[in-house]
Amino acid sequence: MTTQISSTTKQQQEDEEFDNSYRYLVKRTHFLLKYTKLLLKFAMCFIVIAWVTFVCLLPSEYVRQLSQNYVDYTSQSVFWVTGSILLYGGPIFIIAFLGMIYLKICGKQEFQQKKKPKNASIQLWTFPVIVDGPLGVVTAAELIVILIVVVYIIYSISVYAIQNYNLIPYYESQGKRNAMLKRTGLRFGSVGLICIVFMFLPVARGSILLRLTNIPFELATRYHIWLGHLTLTLFTLHGLCYVYAWILEDRLVAQLIKWKDNGISNLPGVICLSAGLLMWVTSLPQVRRLNFEIFFYTHQLYVVFVVFLAMHVGDIIFSVIAAGLFLYMLDRFLRFFQSQKTVDILSAKCLPCGTIELVFSKPEDLQYNALSWVFIQIRELSWLQWHPFSVSSSPLDGKHHLSVLIKVLGNWTRKLKEHITEKQIDIDGIIQPNFKLTASIEGPYGHESPYHSLYENLVLVAGGIGISPFLAILSDIIHRNNDTKPCTPRNVLIIWAVKTSEELPLIHSLDLNSIFPDKLNLEIQTYVTRESEPSLEEGEVHKHVSSSACSSPSRSAMSKLVGTGSIMWAGTYVVVSNVGLVVSLTLLNVFYINRYGISYRWYKGLLVLICMAASVIIFGGFVIGIWYLWDKRSSKYRNYDDEKIAIGIQHNEAATHKDLSEETFVKTVKYGQRPDMKEILGSMAQRCGNVDIGVIVCGPPSLRTSVAKECRSINFRRSSNNPIFHFHSHSFDLNLPSGLTEGGKRLEEHMLSSQEKTKWH
């Protein structure tokens, strides 16, 4: 008996020692990860500050001469332009590599691990400052960056002007005016090149840099637009200065067609600028609304723009923009592979409110969040058109499917509805749904982590089909609460403006009766703007739904070959391709350029571009091939639960047809009114304490402007005991001064009116 007790005590001591050791190991691991993250963040911030400082000081004589000496020295080595690429773009590659490690350490739980702040705090990136200007809603962080860019432009031009003034005595014999025009044009071109370094980064949808900064693609697009305007303005001034100087010299035509072998070639520059101007003019809102196809097809001239820019400036100068362009080429090549795969459509439904629901098959381990976007192509409708839609399902709705809601507004969506509702007669004379849709999907894209989980208090403001991403948010919150998973939001207010009461059944795709009041306080205020009183059918949901579904024997789910997928694979793809670029440039220099004495400047610039493309295709393609084979092999061992998929789809249909009399989730329905955001947010500010309130808007520009204006007004007037409203916009709006510049993706319907063109997808 004593021996048994002694043995039990010894076992307990061993278990206790093991538990202590395990807790110590976990604590130590957490400590190491925490400080590794801090070290990586510090390193990346230091590199960014150092790089921006270098770029800003580049116009100064000392820094310019120092960098020129470095470029001259490295260009004579076996590495050729690699040294120049590393000088101007190396920090981008280093940050991308460190960012891959940082994101891998952070994982998906970073937001959930953050402690709730005791008091409300101002965040620069969610504090709207300018709301009525031509740039749309501009936050404090964006305004600071804009001011830095403006100061840089003014500083650069001023420094270059002083340098030009000091050179006047040296150009007495050549004509001071002509010489100064050329020197000024040269300086405009130099500043424009710096802008191009950043111009391609925002449109790399799956870029690690966007994931690292947590900037979604739909928001980054506007930065590309701003940089595009600035770049082409500078390049236009660059060209005008030279043209005017050549007119004064009476040799305009001869200079325009001049093609030097060992200097700046003018003709490629003329072609490059012409392509840029054509893209610029056709991207203006007036032209794009008149005919979207003109904008779309002319914007593919960015290929011509880049190719002739390389021949115009030569290898050394072109290496200045190589880093940003190379990351864009990597992203574009990866998206090309993802878009080649067809995806099973598990379900297609036409709801009575004029909305289409598509449910796609996806692999279990393809991650996304409730505020993600996908680009969809339906080949039966068009091989060229790709349309962006926000995801309407939560990642917790099901492991094997993803759904979107599509409002029927233009030609493409109208054809989609007709195709789904079209009937056909089979060989037995029975009428069957015509379900033949071949879909391809790019994405999902969006924030690295769902920012709605940052706030305990949420205000969701939607217009029409803009409710779609908020359905995903609500579903995510409900699932987390029901499954006892960590969930920050506890008070959610939905402001939903619709044109007619026919759109009200959209909210029935969720089972709001499953909400536990002690975990979530939900209030929904609906505004029916074009009806003065409830219709006779109020309280009923139309049961007529055109639905089609098909089995998925091929198991053709969404491809995981996307930059927003596996961090390790995406990082490996970038690293291997960069190493391949260095190897390609070195081998080309040793075995071709040096051996055969290639000295033509325009030709060497073209060779740099060819090496970049070859590195993406050969080295990047090699990683993609291994990635694809690995995914294909692992997919054989995945357990696809057909029953759960079917149940999930059937549950959605049942929820969609639910009688309104069974639901009591609509707190307020007002007819003939629009939401008064001043009154709504003002009342919240009075009854809430010193807390952070997240405000997410998905709707037209006018709605975003009104909400941002009230958030700004309340934040400026707040006292210490009032809340702070954090503004977020979740609207893919191509009515900005330009559109996307890449990929053969048509994103809008040119037949829509200016109001309808704002697709709240």
Side-chain angles (χ1 to χ4, degrees):
M1 185 71 177
T2 305
T3 305
Q4 184 176 1
I5 294 175
S6 176
S7 176
T8 304
T9 304
K10 185 178 180 180
Q11 182 66 35
Q12 290 176 348
Q13 290 176 350
E14 291 178 354
D15 291 342
E16 185 177 352
E17 290 177 359
F18 176 79
D19 291 340
N20 292 335
S21 300
Y22 178 76
R23 283 195 294 268
Y24 173 77
L25 181 61
V26 171
K27 184 177 180 180
R28 184 177 178 84
T29 303
H30 178 73
F31 176 83
L32 290 175
L33 290 177
K34 177 181 177 181
Y35 281 93
T36 301
K37 286 165 55 179
L38 290 176
L39 181 62
L40 288 171
K41 188 179 293 187
F42 173 79
M44 289 185 290
C45 290
F46 176 79
I47 292 172
V48 169
I49 294 173
W51 183 46
V52 171
T53 302
F54 166 74
V55 171
C56 292
L57 295 178
L58 196 58
S60 65
E61 188 66 31
Y62 175 76
V63 176
R64 186 163 55 87
Q65 189 60 45
L66 194 65
S67 61
Q68 185 62 46
N69 293 338
Y70 168 81
V71 170
D72 291 341
Y73 175 78
T74 55
S75 62
Q76 300 301 320
S77 67
V78 295
F79 296 105
W80 187 24
V81 295
T82 303
S84 179
I85 293 176
L86 292 178
L87 176 65
Y88 297 106
I92 297 178
F93 296 136
I94 296 174
I95 293 172
F97 176 73
L98 296 179
M100 175 193 68
I101 302 175
Y102 180 84
L103 291 174
K104 185 63 178 178
I105 294 176
C106 290
K108 293 289 184 180
Q109 305 300 321
E110 183 175 8
F111 280 112
Q112 297 175 2
Q113 295 172 355
K114 291 186 176 180
K115 296 181 180 179
K116 178 184 174 182
K118 295 181 179 179
N119 298 312
S121 59
I122 294 177
Q123 305 292 340
L124 295 179
W125 50 87
T126 60
F127 193 102
V129 178
I130 302 175
V131 296
D132 293 324
L135 300 180
V137 179
V138 178
T139 64
E142 292 172 337
L143 181 60
I144 291 174
V145 175
I146 291 173
L147 292 177
I148 291 175
V149 173
V150 171
V151 170
Y152 166 72
I153 298 296
I154 296 175
Y155 164 76
S156 300
I157 294 176
S158 301
V159 171
Y160 285 139
I162 294 173
Q163 294 175 0
N164 291 344
Y165 179 79
N166 294 332
L167 292 174
I168 288 179
Y170 298 96
Y171 294 102
E172 291 287 349
S173 59
Q174 303 179 22
K176 292 186 292 184
R177 183 170 58 177
N178 291 2
M180 287 300 101
L181 281 172
K182 294 178 181 178
R183 295 288 299 184
T184 302
L186 176 64
R187 302 312 187 188
F188 280 130
S190 300
V191 179
L193 279 175
I194 300 299
C195 295
I196 293 186
V197 173
F198 301 94
M199 190 175 69
F200 285 98
L201 295 178
V203 287
R205 298 177 188 171
S207 170
I208 288 181
L209 297 180
L210 292 185
R211 299 178 67 179
L212 180 64
T213 55
N214 208 26
I215 299 176
F217 171 67
E218 76 275 8
L219 182 60
T221 301
R222 57 192 259 147
Y223 305 149
H224 166 75
I225 294 169
W226 298 348
L227 288 168
H229 281 288
L230 178 59
T231 300
L232 285 172
T233 298
L234 292 169
F235 279 176
T236 301
L237 294 173
H238 164 76
L240 289 176
C241 288
Y242 276 97
V243 168
Y244 186 42
W246 293 333
I247 291 176
L248 296 177
E249 295 173 354
D250 198 21
R251 51 180 188 146
L252 175 62
V253 177
Q255 286 293 336
L256 288 177
I257 62 175
K258 193 173 184 179
W259 193 308
K260 291 183 179 180
D261 292 332
N262 295 313
I264 297 293
S265 300
N266 295 339
L267 183 58
V270 172
I271 298 174
C272 171
L273 182 58
S274 300
L277 290 175
L278 193 57
M279 288 189 293
W280 194 17
V281 171
T282 55
S283 68
L284 297 176
Q286 297 82 356
V287 178
R288 192 171 62 253
R289 283 195 291 265
L290 181 64
N291 193 319
F292 186 86
E293 278 79 4
I294 294 179
F295 157 74
F296 169 73
Y297 289 114
T298 55
H299 235 61
Q300 309 315 306
L301 291 175
Y302 76 92
V303 178
V304 177
F305 177 85
V306 171
V307 170
F308 282 93
L309 176 63
M311 291 191 288
H312 174 58
V313 299
D315 53 335
I316 302 299
I317 300 179
F318 185 72
S319 63
V320 174
I321 71 168
L325 178 61
F326 189 66
L327 287 181
Y328 169 76
M329 293 170 67
L330 286 172
D331 178 78
R332 187 66 195 92
F333 188 65
L334 184 60
R335 289 192 288 109
F336 170 77
F337 271 91
Q338 189 198 23
S339 64
Q340 298 308 301
K341 184 177 182 180
T342 57
V343 180
D344 287 336
I345 300 179
L346 303 178
S347 172
K349 295 181 293 188
C350 294
L351 306 180
C353 57
T355 301
I356 301 171
E357 182 189 43
L358 298 180
V359 181
F360 299 96
S361 174
K362 83 170 189 69
E364 179 179 351
D365 50 351
L366 179 63
Q367 301 296 326
Y368 71 99
N369 61 60
L371 290 167
S372 295
W373 297 85
V374 292
F375 283 75
I376 300 176
Q377 177 206 58
I378 305 296
R379 298 183 180 181
E380 283 74 18
L381 306 183
S382 174
W383 281 78
L384 295 178
Q385 298 184 31
W386 290 74
H387 295 258
F389 299 96
S390 57
V391 176
S392 61
S393 60
S394 164
L396 301 177
D397 283 338
K399 297 180 179 179
H400 303 286
H401 71 274
L402 175 150
S403 62
V404 297
L405 292 175
I406 303 173
K407 183 71 173 179
V408 179
L409 291 174
N411 289 339
W412 188 86
T413 52
R414 188 161 44 248
K415 291 178 182 178
L416 176 61
K417 181 179 180 180
E418 292 173 355
H419 199 89
I420 294 175
T421 56
E422 182 182 357
K423 304 294 182 179
Q424 61 181 4
I425 302 177
D426 61 13
I427 56 176
D428 297 325
I430 301 175
I431 299 178
Q432 299 287 349
N434 178 25
F435 193 87
K436 184 182 178 183
L437 292 176
T438 307
S440 296
I441 293 181
E442 282 189 10
Y445 305 106
H447 286 266
E448 183 66 15
S449 299
Y451 56 82
H452 69 271
S453 62
L454 283 170
Y455 307 103
E456 184 175 322
N457 303 278
L458 273 178
V459 179
L460 309 178
V461 186
I465 196 62
I467 195 67
S468 177
F470 299 157
L471 296 179
I473 290 178
L474 280 180
S475 178
D476 187 72
I477 296 173
I478 293 172
H479 278 295
R480 289 187 178 277
N481 286 330
N482 294 346
D483 299 340
T484 65
K485 293 183 177 181
C487 185
T488 303
R490 296 185 59 86
N491 305 297
V492 179
L493 170 62
I494 297 181
I495 310 298
W496 186 25
V498 296
K499 294 180 180 178
T500 63
S501 56
E502 290 182 350
E503 300 181 59
L504 296 180
L506 280 177
I507 201 71
H508 289 266
S509 60
L510 295 177
D511 184 12
L512 297 180
N513 281 341
S514 63
I515 295 176
F516 294 102
D518 58 326
K519 293 184 178 181
L520 177 63
N521 179 23
L522 175 64
E523 179 181 356
I524 301 177
Q525 297 182 12
T526 306
Y527 295 82
V528 184
T529 60
R530 294 190 178 180
E531 294 180 4
S532 58
E533 58 185 11
S535 60
L536 295 177
E537 292 80 11
E538 180 65 22
E540 300 179 1
V541 177
H542 300 279
K543 299 182 182 295
H544 173 71
V545 178
S546 299
S547 178
S548 300
C550 72
S551 59
S552 306
S554 63
R555 297 293 180 207
S556 183
M558 295 169 58
S559 173
K560 295 194 301 180
L561 298 179
V562 57
T564 54
S566 170
I567 295 175
M568 291 305 300
W569 277 113
T572 303
Y573 173 66
V574 174
V575 171
V576 172
S577 300
N578 277 280
V579 173
L581 176 61
V582 175
V583 172
S584 301
L585 291 172
T586 303
L587 293 178
L588 183 67
N589 184 48
V590 172
F591 294 103
Y592 182 65
I593 294 178
N594 286 341
R595 174 172 293 186
Y596 295 99
I598 304 299
S599 60
Y600 292 171
R601 191 170 176 176
W602 65 269
Y603 183 49
K604 292 170 73 174
L606 185 60
L607 288 177
V608 172
L609 186 59
I610 293 174
C611 268
M612 293 169 62
S615 301
V616 172
I617 296 173
I618 298 174
F619 294 91
F622 174 74
V623 176
I624 290 176
I626 298 178
W627 188 356
Y628 174 76
L629 292 176
W630 176 270
D631 180 59
K632 186 176 181 180
R633 180 183 177 184
S634 61
S635 65
K636 295 180 181 179
Y637 305 101
R638 295 190 189 120
N639 180 22
Y640 287 91
D641 196 338
D642 294 333
E643 184 178 356
K644 287 185 178 180
I645 295 176
I647 290 175
I649 297 174
Q650 292 171 5
H651 172 74
N652 269 345
E653 290 191 15
T656 305
H657 305 325
K658 196 175 294 183
D659 197 310
L660 267 175
S661 61
E662 302 175 6
E663 303 282 4
T664 58
F665 57 86
V666 178
K667 302 287 289 189
T668 306
V669 180
K670 298 182 179 180
Y671 290 85
Q673 300 182 35
R674 297 183 181 275
D676 187 346
M677 298 310 304
K678 183 176 182 179
E679 178 183 351
I680 295 171
L681 297 183
S683 63
M684 287 194 66
Q686 292 177 1
R687 69 174 182 265
C688 294
N690 188 10
V691 297
D692 293 304
I693 300 178
V695 181
I696 308 177
V697 185
C698 187
S702 58
L703 180 62
R704 299 200 300 271
T705 298
S706 63
V707 175
K709 184 181 297 183
E710 294 308 320
C711 290
R712 180 188 64 177
S713 176
I714 295 174
N715 289 342
F716 277 139
R717 301 194 316 263
R718 73 177 290 268
S719 61
S720 58
N721 295 324
N722 291 125
I724 293 179
F725 290 90
H726 299 270
F727 177 82
H728 299 270
S729 175
H730 188 76
S731 299
F732 201 106
D733 182 12
L734 293 184
N735 282 330
L736 292 172
S738 182
L740 299 182
T741 64
E742 39 73 35
K745 314 298 187 202
R746 173 180 170 173
L747 305 179
E748 278 295 344
E749 304 278 347
H750 73 282
M751 297 298 292
L752 303 180
S753 65
S754 59
Q755 182 178 2
E756 290 176 319
K757 265 194 173 181
T758 304
K759 289 186 179 180
W760 305 336
H761 298 334

